Structures are given as structure tokens and as C-alpha cells.
Amino acid sequence: MHENLYFTNRKVNSVCWASLNHLDSHILLCLMGLAETPGCATLLPASLFVSSHQAGTDQPGVLCSFRIPGAWTCAWSLNTQANNCFSTGMSRRVLLTNVVTGHRQSYGTNSDVLAQQFAVKTPLLFNGCRSGEIFAIDLRSPSQAKGRKATHIFHDSAVTSVRVLKEEQYLMASDMAGKIKLWDLRTTKCVRQYEGHVNEYAYLPLHVHEEEGILVAVGQDCYTRIWSLHDAHLLRTIPSPYPTSKANIPSVAFSPRLGGPQGAPGLLMAVQQDLYCFSYSSSCPGSLEEGSWE
């Protein structure tokens, strides 16, 4: 709050990397409205958060904000069919925004859109809905075209996260019933299910890391679970350092090179105002050693 001039006291509904000037050059935030201030999507240069950046110096990159009330989720496009664009999932619609031209395209949906991800090889935007439906929008189609939905998959509960795997033949999805499923997009059938995840109503993300062959998710019971991506075997369950409560669900981030190009794999866990680091060995994925960062 003291060092970052762009700190906001509004709730952040969603956050993702944005590649406007170069890969991961910006951070895209979806902010809730507060009192007389409407909700918005904001692009912040990632360099603002680098420790060497000095407050008061010339601001690097592009900083801009778009008035988008009621966005549940956001996703940045690396697809050439939607260059310099991001998407926001909203109440019964999807909004595609070009940050350079300001052009917007709206797609009506049958349910609130809670999770999104763009494909890279194919011109598709995948959406997960409160109704349990997962569908893809063909970015080449006009917003009102009947054939714009390219894929249909269904969960029994609200979808909280969708992740398209690298080859774009499979999609991972989780829902508010605690189900995590791997779907074959060619046959639209579930080919694998990852057991043990706990969720009853929370908006919880999935973290897929194909390089290490793992899937990471934090449950509503505040346990972080790591599965083998290839056979769905539960490799490790990590309890939260804090007492279990709705307000203390950890946030986690896994990096194959924690700290930079020469870094080792590790898991960061944030709970309340504390940050924990777990070292990770791909040769022995069941062994994680905890360290604490003050």
C-alpha cells in the first residue's frame, strides 16, 4: 500500500498476465465497483512491481482502464485472430475488448461466465459457466452468428476454472462440487478425473504445469493438493499453516524456475499476510520441504 501508487481498495475478481508490449509485459485486473465507482478492467505494466522501480520516475509501458461493470473473470489473448485483445466473463455475456483500438464485441450466453481461456493454435475462446456448461466461441464468427459455439461440455455444477493443455486437444476443468476432469476436446468425453479436491461453493482456480507433469489446486478445506497430470495419482497434500476457515483459503503459484532462469522448481503459498515457499523435486514429487519467507 505504501510503495505501490496503483494499490486499490476494491476487490480484485480476477487477475492474469497480459502480453501487450512483450510476453507478460502487463497485468490485467478485473476490479469490482465500489459505491459510485463502476467496475473496470485495468492494465498495469508489470515493471511497476519490480523492486528496482522507483516511485515518481517515468512510468514504463501502457497503463489504461476500461469501464466493464460486473466482470467475474478475464483472459488475455495470445491468438493472432484476437491480437491485443482481452476477454471478460460477465453476467450472461462475454465481452471481447481490443486495448489498442478500443473496439468491443459482445457475445450473449445462457449463464454467467466464471472462467475463460484463449486457445493459441486455434481461434477459440473457452468459457466455463455457472450452469456447468463449458463452450468455445469461434473468434472468426460474428457475435450474433448461430454457429459461433464450437464445443459443448457439461459439468454438474458451476465451473470455476478451465485450462487448455498445450496441444489444445484436452481441457482441464473444475467445478463447485469439487470435481476436476480432463476432457478430450475431439470426442467431448471425460478421459480422467482427479479425486480429493474439496469445494462446495467457492471460486477456486486450477494450476496446470505440463513441464513438470503436475496439477495443483487448493480446496475449500484449505489443503493444497498436487496430482500427477498423467495418471491422476495424488502425489502430495499440504495443510495450511493457518486454521481452516473461509477467510484463510491459501493462494498458490508454482514455478518450474522459481527466482529466475537458473532457479529450481518451487511452490509459493500465500495465506493472509504471510508467504511460504516449498521446494519441489521432479525426480521425487512427493517430497516438498517447507520454508518461510518473512
Side-chain angles (χ1 to χ4, degrees), residues 1 12 30 113 121 150 162 193-194 196 221 223 228 236 246 270:
M1 293 176 66
V12 178
C30 280
V113 177
K121 296 181 178 180
V162 292
Q193 191 159 322
Y194 298 78
D221 58 353
Y223 280 83
S228 166
R236 182 68 189 262
K246 179 182 177 182

Side-chain angles (χ1 to χ4, degrees), residues 159-283:
V159 176
T160 61
S161 187
V162 292
R163 288 291 174 264
V164 183
L165 271 60
K166 196 172 183 180
E167 294 303 317
E168 299 186 0
Q169 296 177 355
Y170 296 93
L171 178 140
M172 189 84 68
S174 63
D175 61 34
M176 288 191 183
K179 302 295 184 184
I180 301 177
K181 296 181 179 182
L182 181 67
W183 295 89
D184 188 323
L185 293 173
R186 297 161 295 183
T187 64
T188 63
K189 294 187 182 300
C190 176
V191 295
R192 197 167 297 139
Q193 191 159 322
Y194 298 78
E195 304 291 346
H197 185 53
V198 176
N199 194 5
E200 294 177 354
Y201 56 79
Y203 188 65
L204 301 173
L206 283 178
H207 308 275
V208 178
H209 300 279
E210 294 186 69
E211 183 178 337
E212 297 291 334
I214 60 172
L215 167 69
V216 183
V218 181
Q220 206 170 352
D221 58 353
C222 295
Y223 280 83
T224 300
R225 293 175 175 87
I226 303 176
W227 293 266
S228 166
L229 196 58
H230 307 296
D231 62 11
H233 178 65
L234 183 61
L235 301 174
R236 182 68 189 262
T237 301
I238 307 172
S240 171
Y242 274 68
T244 300
S245 76
K246 179 182 177 182
N248 289 341
I249 297 177
S251 295
V252 298
F254 179 87
S255 173
R257 288 170 293 275
L258 194 62
Q262 304 303 317
L267 181 79
L268 293 180
M269 177 188 294
V271 193
Q272 293 285 5
Q273 297 186 17
D274 291 334
L275 186 63
Y276 298 83
C277 179
F278 297 82
S279 60
Y280 176 83
S281 170
S282 58
S283 61

Side-chain angles (χ1 to χ4, degrees), residues 100-205:
V100 175
T101 65
H103 179 263
R104 292 183 174 185
Q105 193 160 337
S106 181
Y107 300 86
T109 64
N110 297 323
S111 178
D112 300 342
V113 177
L114 304 181
Q116 293 182 310
Q117 188 180 5
F118 286 91
V120 176
K121 296 181 178 180
T122 54
L124 298 175
L125 169 62
F126 289 89
N127 303 270
C129 298
R130 190 183 299 278
S131 64
E133 180 187 12
I134 300 171
F135 66 90
I137 293 175
D138 190 330
L139 300 172
R140 298 167 297 186
S141 301
S143 58
Q144 302 304 321
K146 289 184 177 180
R148 59 185 173 82
K149 288 188 177 181
T151 303
H152 279 278
I153 296 170
F154 292 92
H155 275 235
D156 294 329
S157 183
V159 176
T160 61
S161 187
V162 292
R163 288 291 174 264
V164 183
L165 271 60
K166 196 172 183 180
E167 294 303 317
E168 299 186 0
Q169 296 177 355
Y170 296 93
L171 178 140
M172 189 84 68
S174 63
D175 61 34
M176 288 191 183
K179 302 295 184 184
I180 301 177
K181 296 181 179 182
L182 181 67
W183 295 89
D184 188 323
L185 293 173
R186 297 161 295 183
T187 64
T188 63
K189 294 187 182 300
C190 176
V191 295
R192 197 167 297 139
Q193 191 159 322
Y194 298 78
E195 304 291 346
H197 185 53
V198 176
N199 194 5
E200 294 177 354
Y201 56 79
Y203 188 65
L204 301 173

